[in-house]
Amino acid sequence: MLRELRYARGFAYVQDVSYEQFLDRVSAGERRLRGEGLWDVPHPWLNLFLPRSRILDFAAGVFHGVLLPTRTAGGGGGGPVLVYPMNRGKWDGATSAVLPYDDGDGDGDEVFYTVGILRSAVADGDLRRMEEQNAEVARFCEAAGIPCTQYLPSYATQADWAARHFGPAGSGRWDTFLRRKRKYDPMAILSRGQRIFSSPLLAS
């Protein structure tokens, strides 16, 4: 499986586990963090979906431009960075998940990437620094024109959710989401904490 991959020899890490162990890998990570005293601390994690065509631009601007200088300067509070490809065709288009697109016409790479920057804020000042870095990553993607989707974002208004998460008005994703909300949860009982809908929806 490694024969056709291009990577730095000597840096491959391979772990063989059962299917059940793979599905339960998050709880194993939790136990490890608890054992190291890194679980009951803030975790300003950043999870993004990115198009394959821009993943190298993202790596250069974020990994080398934002994160690496901090590590080089001795910034604390580390954690794993996950990068792995996903097949768009394996996702059910009838769900409300928002996948990254290269433009507004609904077309995109068949393969897109999920990037998880999973850090623990341990020392004083770590949380503020990491939150500032997360904001810097978002600003870089916007300035570079990299269409990315954050999970889970924290937008303050419905307008921000519609424009920044669900994408351009012409994509129809927000309209579809709104139509389903009116049909299945018109009283806006579910997910009020995300500030997408804070009051019952109008019938129109």
Side-chain angles (χ1 to χ4, degrees), residues 1 5 24-25 30-31 36 47 53 57 66 69 72 75 98 101 108 113 141 146 159 174 176 184-185 189 193 197:
M1 293 178 64
L5 297 180
D24 198 41
R25 66 194 183 282
E30 176 185 340
R31 290 192 296 270
E36 297 175 1
N47 294 282
S53 60
D57 297 328
V66 177
T72 303
V98 178
Y101 292 96
Y113 279 84
C141 290
I146 299 176
W174 168 254
T176 299
Y184 297 108
D185 185 27
I189 295 173
F197 304 99

Side-chain angles (χ1 to χ4, degrees), residues 56-74:
L56 293 180
D57 297 328
F58 179 87
V62 173
F63 297 153
H64 297 280
V66 177
L67 301 182
L68 184 59
T70 301
R71 299 296 296 172
T72 303

Side-chain angles (χ1 to χ4, degrees), residues 119-155:
R119 299 179 290 178
S120 300
V122 180
D124 291 340
D126 279 353
L127 179 59
R128 180 177 179 180
R129 173 178 57 80
M130 291 176 182
E131 288 179 335
E132 290 175 349
Q133 284 185 328
N134 290 348
E136 186 177 355
V137 171
R139 289 193 299 270
F140 166 79
C141 290
E142 184 175 0
I146 299 176
C148 67
T149 304
Q150 180 181 347
Y151 279 93
L152 289 165
S154 180
Y155 299 131

